[in-house]
Amino acid sequence: MTPAESAASAVDSDELVRLVQDATRIPSITPNEHEFAAWVLRQLKDFGWDQAKSTDIGDGRPNVHADVGSNAGPSLLLAGHLDTVHVDDWIKHWKDTDRADPFAAEIVDGEIWGRGVADQKAGICSIIAAVRAIHRAGYRPKGMVSALFVSDEESGQPGSGVSAGMRAAVQNYAGHGPKADFLIYTEPTTSAVYTAQMGFFIAEITLTGKSAYFGRPELGVDALRAGHELLTALWTHSEELRTIEAHKLIGYANLLVTEVRSGGNIAVPGLFNLSLIRKILPSENMDEAADRIREITARVGSEHGVEVEVVFSAPRDHAVGGTPDEIPSDHPGVVSLARSISTITGEEARIEAAPFWSEKPFLAALDVPGVYFAPGDISNCHTPFERLEIKELLSATRILTHFVASWCGLEELPTPPVKGGAT
């Protein structure tokens, strides 16, 4: 058995399940991540890491950082987010049932159920457990392994979900010490390797005309009528986007109108509001895509005599949204991770693309290449059915342990490892 295989086999399945259950039982809905962050910090300090600390990103909200290893091998950054989405849907769906508590973390048919269990308490716990297993096997990483857990990734809560934690981390990280050679961000991927992700922006469009009594419509400017033409123009634009060559993993670019609001009185509608989301491919330019929305809206506004406003409401690593990202499938880090998957599972690694946007592009902009990899299925996250298969949790954690050991290298501990570890 190689040292990496020995470390992977040292993952304690019972301890791992307890870790994930304990983590899930601590609510960390954006922007209230502090209690869970404190728990994560204790786990890191209690076992395996050379140093661990928490930093305030503002209003008492934390990021958590930790390091273990040296500069004797390739370096690695393991990242994730501390917050989860709200639980309103869960409480409503499971009211008066034995699953009404979204933080119970009960095991049902070999799966742990709860808000945030996959997105992404499991990924964070896999990182904690991987370093514990390496130490339990009698080793420590040769290369530097850094952990970064940030607040404020999820959207949906007022005044939050704008990557405030990652922005603060990037500001502190830039220009301080050597950059990591590779990154794994632990969004759930069903243990596939996500080498690419779409970009996006959300646009809130307002057309302002002039309301008038229905008996004297000539005195008004009908914003709803202009909005009808705008909808048609936007849907036509979405069809035009299919002329852009599809990405082999992400697919086609597209535009989706998600909400329309207008009218309500017995009068000429003086206001029309529309929301849309645009999927951006790595081959596209974010600014040009945003300008096209502005141009379409301005044309309709001019033709119908309405005032227009276009607001991009979800800036992330770009002023209008989140940029796409991609790493070659033959990057050494991807190849090494795929080899770890094959070693642990006996199956070929699945190279896929993220059907979501998350924060990896912030770190890619610092020239840190990486992928998403973790247990869990994104399709049941943010729903009342969020759950995590224990079998996959164990497999993915052993894969991560094997990869850390293989990528960074291992050296024997100078003294016998501490047994156990706080959970």
Side-chain angles (χ1 to χ4, degrees), residues 120-145:
Q120 51 174 212
K121 303 292 177 72
I124 291 172
C125 290
S126 289
I127 293 170
I128 294 169
V131 172
R132 288 185 179 183
I134 288 170
H135 280 245
R136 190 177 291 116
Y139 300 99
R140 60 182 275 111
K142 281 185 178 180
M144 181 64 69
V145 179

Side-chain angles (χ1 to χ4, degrees), residues 147-204:
L148 170 62
F149 305 124
V150 299
S151 292
D152 202 57
E153 191 272 349
E154 297 287 9
S155 299
Q157 297 301 98
S160 64
V162 295
S163 295
M166 185 58 79
R167 291 176 191 275
V170 166
Q171 185 176 2
N172 291 334
Y173 186 78
H176 293 81
K179 70 179 182 67
D181 296 312
F182 195 65
L183 157 74
I184 292 180
Y185 196 113
T186 56
E187 289 284 6
T189 68
T190 62
S191 301
V193 182
Y194 287 177
T195 58
Q197 73 175 72
M198 72 181 92
F200 84 101
F201 59 68
I202 295 173
E204 310 289 348

